[in-house]
Amino acid sequence: METTAIKSVIDACNEYKNKRNENNLLQLQAQLDVLISMTSGGKSLKLFKAQKLLPTTFVTCVVELLYDLNSPMELISKTLSVLFNLVSDSDICKTLQSEFDITASLVSVLKHYYRGGLSDKVVLQCVQTLQIVTYQYKIDFPNSFIVDIVEFLVTNIQEEESKMTLPCLSLIANLCRNSIAIQTHLKAMNNLMVIAKTLMTYIGHPNLTIVAVTLSILATPVFYKYVGEKLFSKGNNEETFRLIFNVLIHGDLATKRYVVDMFVDVLKDEHIQQALITYDKFGKCLGETLMLLNCTDSQMTEKVLELVLVFCGVPYLRNRVCQVLMFNQIVQNQGCTLKNASEQPFFKLVQWACQPISTNGQVSLKAVDVLREMNEEMIDSGSTVEVSLRLDATLPMATELLTCQVVADSPTLNLHCLKMKKVVDFLRTLCTDEFARKHVAQCLDLQVISGILEFQLHHNKVTKGQRPKQSDWSDTGVDLVFHTLDLMYQLRNDMPAINQLIAKVLQNALFVPFLAYTLTSSTRERIHICLELLGISISLTDFPITLLGENITAINSLKQSEELDGLRYKPCDKPLSPPPIYSVYQGSGDQQGRQPCHSQVDSLIEKMKTGMDLKDTRASDMMAIYEHKVASLQTQKRDLQDLLEAKEFALTQADRLLTRYKSRNAQSEAEAHDLRLLLQQSENRIENYLDEKKQSMQDKKQLEEKYREKQSRLQEMETRLQSVGNELNTERDEHSNLRDVHEILKKHADDLQGQLENAKLRIKELEDDYSSLEKERDDQEMAIDQLCQEISKSTKSNKDFKQQVTALEAKIKTLKKVIAEKEADVVNLTTELQKHDEIQNMIHKLTGAKK
């Protein structure tokens, strides 16, 4: 259905381009209406994401319709509606930005319709689409349209509030946040303070999204020095944070996006970090924010988790987040499961982490990151004694995520590898705690770990001698391999069988390119893990050390060639076009054919020097050849100069490396010499310690004998002391027992006297109640007698009524008989009347016939 609709739009667009008449225009608009209904309302846009010919052709047609400003306004409006529905998907939006430069086309439409005063609807659609397109996207500055759009936005927010206000504010927030050049351009404007005052008026707006966008703008460096510092001053901190959390909790998705962005910008300031730490109601606000994880919208949950990760970036705030999320009574209930506590933020976090990468990729990644941060905080702060790590919920989640099957040609392979790496990092964090490490060892399956490593060793680009990019799945796969091996190394004492698997992987020749690629990388964590594994690998007997050296040299040579390619002079893309006769001279390969050419060139040079006329065609052709050769020689000279500079640069680098190696070698020799001296000193100290030990042993024996004698005397004194103490204790116990009995008897006598007084009072009350009850009984008996008399009277009247009813019934029966007889008489009379009427009719007919 969707494929046919897309094909219909493409065909209608081509027909309209070929012949612009009313019928083709109406047909194209009708097809666009169908597509608008198919893409609106949050429906699936998977077909438009595929990198195939049909979706690409369709997007090209849509963009071409926007570039054609002579198209009717209604067609542009429908095209913008389709585009607005498409850019709601992040993948399609990135494609439109990178390959189709959708921002420039939208701004051209905006300039055309706004300056001409043609349609406010199209202008609003353009601004709303730009709001989505420019979110978290950096626009290069300066360019042909950015100055115009900034002026348009600034003038719009200073006018009266309208439907254009919110998208204009959002667009300003997007532009200011992602480009320092645009911030500088705004600072250079004359009316910057007027804009800041206008923005301050929107902070108390009833629309929460406008408030969130305004706060995001004021948090940018453009306005922070003028207004933001006052807004987040010590006196306003409490009110500002209350407003921000209120907007965050009760706002929609767009509101949450800008609030989170504002927190990312503002929490870079240490003063605001301290103010948020000391905010009294931060725990309550954070708890209400975490309850937003119960929503079903993945994008909204992603922003909430992003905010939690921002808070975790601040040391003290991470502890507060951990307390709110993990120090929960329901979470700590060991009998609680995911079914009966699914509304709690912790369990919702685990559920989001279990979501498949194909549908909720970024949400699940952020959820795993938050769980890792929480467990790391609990382990580092020593809070595992007070609160459980909830391994019963997180470990099954982690093992289940590691068992997910990965397809080599999957478009989401990079996200799969990234999620597995994050899960492995989560397990590495748990292994820093001894109790948790034992549970990880019990739950982890060696076949699953082996499958992950085998997939990377056989499918990763590194094993084929290629250098993957940072955004490629192979680069993420390298981290996955080393982090998995590090996890296995931490579990070696708890899982004895894992040592064989580690040795098998390290001795595999396919693992050598991973070591070489990591050793030549610029990431500190990679190199540290790689050096640890390299130390283990070298100790093995069958480790291919020579193959590792060859791989490192190959990678270094590849790096040098890439650096030379970057430094080498690149000539213009359009080659010089030789004259027609150049091929004739080039075709003659002998020396005789070249001598006339050189002689003619020399003659041309002489003519140029003497100022002779060069109007003949032969001379002009030779001049063209000469110019071409000069240009080629210049390009060759530039290439040689670039190569020479590159070689010099390489030589300087080699000299630097050589000096570093020499200095390191000298340092290592000096350190070795120091170690030898230390070793000799330690040996001398050990000998002295042995002599002292012998002397101390003899002294120890003498002290032991003295200790035994004193211990025997002490035992005798202790026995005497115990006997005296026992007698004293028995007397004390008897005295205390008698005192306790006396106090108990006294208390019992007091209680009995109180009970006696209470019983007397109760007897008086009961006697009063009895007398009142007797009076009531007499009154009730009198009332009962009266009721009996009335009942007897009513029974007599009922008998009379029954007799009357029977008499009336007898009369009714007789009357019914009379009525039946009368009805029979009426029937007879009606029949006789009919006969008389018939006779009269016959008489009338006969008399009429005679007349």
Side-chain angles (χ1 to χ4, degrees):
M1 181 66 181
E2 294 179 354
T3 306
T4 55
I6 293 173
K7 289 181 179 178
S8 300
V9 172
I10 295 171
D11 294 338
C13 186
N14 292 329
E15 290 178 0
Y16 177 71
K17 290 177 185 176
N18 296 329
K19 189 176 181 181
R20 300 198 173 192
N21 54 21
E22 189 67 22
N23 292 329
N24 291 336
L25 177 62
L26 293 175
Q27 181 66 24
L28 179 58
Q29 290 179 0
Q31 296 298 331
L32 288 174
D33 287 332
V34 173
L35 206 61
I36 290 169
S37 63
M38 291 176 61
T39 56
S40 61
K43 295 179 181 178
S44 177
L45 300 174
K46 289 183 179 180
L47 183 61
F48 300 93
K49 298 180 185 180
Q51 299 295 329
K52 295 181 180 179
L53 181 61
L54 185 63
T56 306
T57 307
F58 166 73
V59 175
T60 305
C61 292
V62 172
V63 176
E64 286 178 355
L65 287 175
L66 285 181
Y67 273 113
D68 188 5
L69 299 177
N70 295 323
S71 299
M73 183 181 64
E74 188 66 24
L75 180 61
I76 295 293
S77 177
K78 292 183 183 296
T79 306
L80 287 171
S81 299
V82 174
L83 194 63
F84 181 80
N85 293 337
L86 292 179
V87 296
S88 60
D89 187 89
S90 58
D91 295 334
I92 299 174
C93 187
K94 290 178 183 178
T95 304
L96 288 170
Q97 290 165 345
S98 59
E99 298 181 6
F100 294 93
D101 195 12
I102 192 64
T103 308
S105 60
L106 288 170
V107 172
S108 63
V109 175
L110 180 63
K111 288 166 61 178
H112 177 73
Y113 279 87
Y114 176 68
R115 292 182 176 177
L118 299 175
S119 175
D120 294 336
K121 180 182 178 182
V122 174
V123 173
L124 179 60
Q125 286 178 318
C126 279
V127 177
Q128 288 174 344
T129 310
L130 279 170
Q131 173 193 352
I132 300 174
V133 170
T134 57
Y135 182 70
Q136 291 185 343
Y137 180 73
K138 185 177 181 180
I139 299 174
D140 296 329
F141 183 80
N143 51 31
S144 59
F145 60 83
I146 199 65
V147 176
D148 297 331
I149 193 172
V150 169
E151 291 179 357
F152 165 76
L153 295 174
V154 168
T155 54
N156 244 292
I157 64 171
Q158 291 178 349
E159 295 177 355
E160 294 182 359
E161 185 181 348
S162 62
K163 294 181 180 179
M164 199 77 69
T165 304
L166 177 58
C168 287
L169 288 171
S170 303
L171 193 51
I172 290 176
N174 297 342
L175 297 176
C176 290
R177 191 168 187 270
N178 295 319
S179 177
I180 298 174
I182 296 175
Q183 294 176 9
T184 307
H185 176 70
L186 279 171
K187 284 182 181 179
M189 297 181 71
N190 297 325
N191 57 345
L192 182 63
M193 293 305 298
V194 178
I195 299 170
K197 290 179 181 178
T198 305
L199 291 173
M200 287 297 293
T201 59
Y202 287 115
I203 292 180
H205 200 276
N207 190 346
L208 297 180
T209 308
I210 291 178
V211 177
V213 174
T214 306
L215 290 171
S216 179
I217 297 172
L218 295 176
T220 55
V222 184
F223 299 98
Y224 187 72
K225 292 182 179 180
Y226 302 100
V227 182
E229 290 181 351
K230 297 179 182 178
L231 188 64
F232 290 97
S233 61
K234 292 183 178 179
N236 296 328
N237 270 332
E238 186 173 355
E239 295 181 359
T240 304
F241 287 134
R242 187 187 305 142
L243 173 64
I244 292 171
F245 279 108
N246 184 30
V247 172
L248 174 66
I249 294 166
H250 300 288
D252 56 0
L253 175 59
T255 307
K256 288 176 174 56
R257 281 179 175 175
Y258 289 104
V259 171
V260 173
D261 295 340
M262 184 270 303
F263 266 118
V264 172
D265 296 333
V266 166
L267 286 178
K268 296 176 182 177
D269 191 352
E270 294 182 358
H271 297 290
I272 297 178
Q273 291 180 7
Q274 190 63 31
L276 190 58
I277 290 169
T278 56
Y279 180 50
D280 296 336
K281 297 183 180 178
F282 177 74
K284 180 181 178 182
C285 295
L286 182 62
E288 294 178 357
T289 304
L290 290 174
M291 291 304 294
L292 296 174
L293 295 174
N294 292 324
C295 69
T296 57
D297 190 356
S298 60
Q299 294 181 355
M300 188 175 293
T301 305
E302 180 184 354
K303 297 310 291 184
V304 174
L305 293 177
E306 184 178 349
L307 178 63
V308 174
L309 289 173
V310 170
F311 289 154
C312 290
V314 182
Y316 293 103
L317 287 182
R318 186 172 80 160
N319 190 9
R320 298 287 297 278
V321 174
C322 183
Q323 288 178 359
V324 175
L325 186 61
M326 303 299 294
F327 284 67
N328 194 309
Q329 294 181 358
I330 297 181
V331 172
Q332 293 309 308
N333 185 7
Q334 296 296 327
C336 186
T337 61
L338 286 174
K339 292 182 179 179
N340 56 15
S342 59
E343 299 300 324
Q344 289 299 315
F346 170 76
F347 295 103
K348 292 300 294 184
L349 186 63
V350 175
Q351 289 178 5
W352 280 113
C354 294
Q355 293 297 315
I357 203 73
S358 57
T359 55
N360 299 311
Q362 296 299 326
V363 184
S364 60
L365 292 176
K366 287 183 173 61
V368 175
D369 285 337
V370 173
L371 287 172
R372 183 183 62 81
E373 291 282 348
M374 295 299 99
N375 284 273
E376 184 177 359
E377 175 63 28
M378 285 189 292
I379 293 172
D380 292 344
S381 61
S383 302
T384 55
V385 178
E386 302 172 3
V387 62
S388 171
L389 291 172
R390 284 320 309 258
L391 301 176
D392 56 341
T394 54
L395 275 181
M397 175 270 299
T399 54
E400 182 182 356
L401 292 176
L402 289 178
T403 54
C404 294
Q405 295 182 356
V406 181
V407 183
D409 298 331
S410 175
T412 59
L413 184 56
N414 188 19
L415 290 176
H416 275 290
C417 294
L418 184 60
K419 188 170 184 179
M420 284 187 177
K421 183 181 82 69
K422 289 182 180 294
V423 173
V424 170
D425 290 340
F426 170 73
L427 294 175
R428 289 171 64 202
T429 302
L430 290 178
C431 288
T432 56
D433 183 72
E434 184 178 358
F435 174 76
R437 186 173 64 248
K438 293 180 180 179
H439 284 275
V440 173
Q442 292 176 359
C443 295
L444 204 60
D445 190 0
L446 288 181
Q447 293 182 355
V448 175
I449 299 297
S450 178
I452 294 171
L453 296 174
E454 289 291 332
F455 178 84
Q456 294 295 331
L457 292 177
H458 289 89
H459 295 88
N460 201 296
K461 294 179 182 179
V462 174
T463 57
K464 301 175 184 177
Q466 301 178 7
R467 287 188 59 81
K469 298 179 181 179
Q470 290 184 353
S471 59
D472 194 1
W473 70 270
S474 295
D475 186 73
T476 310
V478 172
D479 287 334
L480 176 60
V481 170
F482 280 96
H483 290 191
T484 305
L485 287 171
D486 185 64
L487 173 64
M488 295 164 65
Y489 185 72
Q490 293 182 17
L491 296 171
R492 67 189 185 281
N493 295 326
D494 299 301
M495 299 177 69
I498 209 169
N499 292 319
Q500 298 178 359
L501 182 58
I502 294 173
K504 180 181 177 182
V505 174
L506 296 179
Q507 290 175 346
N508 194 344
L510 295 175
F511 179 66
V512 174
F514 286 85
L515 285 171
Y517 177 76
T518 308
L519 286 172
T520 55
S521 67
S522 59
T523 307
R524 181 180 298 176
E525 185 182 3
R526 280 184 176 181
I527 294 175
H528 287 174
I529 297 175
C530 182
L531 289 175
E532 291 178 359
L533 295 174
L534 183 61
I536 302 170
S537 303
I538 293 173
S539 62
L540 300 174
T541 56
D542 298 332
F543 181 70
I545 189 69
T546 56
L547 182 61
L548 177 61
E550 292 176 358
N551 278 275
I552 291 174
T553 54
I555 291 172
N556 288 331
S557 62
L558 182 61
K559 277 186 176 181
Q560 289 179 0
S561 63
E562 290 177 356
E563 290 175 357
L564 290 176
D565 291 337
L567 294 170
R568 189 174 290 123
Y569 172 75
K570 295 181 180 180
C572 58
D573 296 334
K574 295 182 179 179
L576 296 171
S577 58
I581 62 172
Y582 176 69
S583 59
V584 177
Y585 289 101
Q586 287 293 103
S588 59
D590 54 348
Q591 190 69 21
Q592 294 178 357
R594 294 175 183 173
Q595 289 177 357
C597 179
H598 289 292
S599 62
Q600 289 173 2
V601 171
D602 294 335
S603 64
L604 283 172
I605 294 171
E606 290 177 359
K607 288 180 181 180
M608 291 173 66
K609 289 180 179 179
T610 56
M612 294 179 66
D613 193 8
L614 298 175
K615 292 183 179 179
D616 56 329
T617 58
R618 186 72 171 172
S620 63
D621 293 337
M622 294 303 298
M623 188 64 191
I625 295 171
Y626 178 72
E627 290 177 354
H628 179 71
K629 286 192 174 182
V630 170
S632 63
L633 289 171
Q634 287 178 353
T635 55
Q636 290 178 3
K637 183 180 178 182
R638 290 173 184 171
D639 290 338
L640 290 173
Q641 287 178 353
D642 293 334
L643 287 172
L644 182 61
E645 291 176 358
K647 291 291 184 183
E648 289 177 353
F649 180 72
L651 286 172
T652 54
Q653 283 187 340
D655 293 336
R656 289 175 185 173
L657 292 173
L658 186 60
T659 54
R660 287 180 185 176
Y661 174 73
K662 288 180 180 179
S663 63
R664 288 179 182 176
N665 192 11
Q667 290 177 0
S668 61
E669 288 179 356
E671 290 175 356
H673 180 68
D674 295 336
L675 289 172
R676 289 191 195 97
L677 293 175
L678 291 172
L679 182 62
Q680 291 177 358
Q681 293 175 1
S682 63
E683 288 177 352
N684 294 328
R685 289 176 182 175
I686 289 169
E687 291 178 357
N688 295 327
Y689 287 152
L690 289 173
D691 295 335
E692 292 177 358
K693 184 179 179 182
K694 290 180 180 179
Q695 185 65 33
S696 63
M697 290 295 291
Q698 293 177 358
D699 295 338
K700 182 181 177 182
K701 289 180 180 179
Q702 294 176 359
L703 291 172
E704 284 179 352
E705 291 177 356
K706 292 180 180 179
Y707 176 74
R708 288 171 184 171
E709 293 176 357
K710 291 182 178 181
Q711 191 173 8
S712 61
R713 292 179 183 177
L714 182 64
Q715 286 178 355
E716 291 176 358
M717 297 295 290
E718 284 179 353
T719 53
R720 292 179 183 177
L721 184 64
Q722 284 180 358
S723 61
V724 174
N726 291 329
E727 292 176 358
L728 182 63
N729 290 328
T730 53
E731 290 179 357
R732 286 178 181 175
D733 292 336
E734 289 178 358
H735 181 70
S736 62
N737 291 329
L738 292 172
R739 185 182 294 172
D740 294 336
V741 170
H742 177 69
E743 290 179 355
I744 290 169
L745 292 173
K746 187 176 181 181
K747 289 181 180 179
H748 186 63
D750 294 336
D751 293 336
L752 289 174
Q753 189 174 1
Q755 290 177 3
L756 180 62
E757 292 178 355
N758 293 328
K760 289 179 179 179
L761 294 173
R762 183 63 179 167
I763 290 168
K764 289 181 180 180
E765 291 176 356
L766 291 173
E767 288 177 352
D768 295 335
D769 293 337
Y770 179 73
S771 61
S772 62
L773 288 172
E774 283 183 348
K775 291 179 181 179
E776 289 179 359
R777 188 187 65 182
D778 297 333
D779 295 335
Q780 287 179 358
E781 286 178 354
M782 295 290 291
I784 289 167
D785 294 335
Q786 292 177 0
L787 289 172
C788 291
Q789 293 176 0
E790 290 178 356
I791 288 167
S792 60
K793 291 178 181 179
S794 61
T795 51
K796 290 180 181 180
S797 60
N798 284 332
K799 288 180 181 179
D800 296 335
F801 283 129
K802 286 180 180 179
Q803 292 176 359
Q804 291 177 2
V805 167
T806 51
L808 291 172
E809 286 178 354
K811 289 181 180 180
I812 288 168
K813 288 180 181 180
T814 55
L815 290 173
K816 283 182 179 180
K817 290 180 182 179
V818 173
I819 288 168
E821 292 175 356
K822 296 293 182 180
E823 285 177 354
D825 295 336
V826 169
V827 171
N828 293 327
L829 291 173
T830 52
T831 51
E832 290 178 358
L833 285 172
Q834 287 177 0
K835 289 178 181 179
H836 285 295
D837 290 335
E838 288 176 359
I839 292 167
Q840 286 178 359
N841 289 329
M842 290 173 65
I843 291 168
H844 284 300
K845 287 179 182 180
L846 291 173
T847 55
K850 289 179 180 181
K851 288 178 181 180

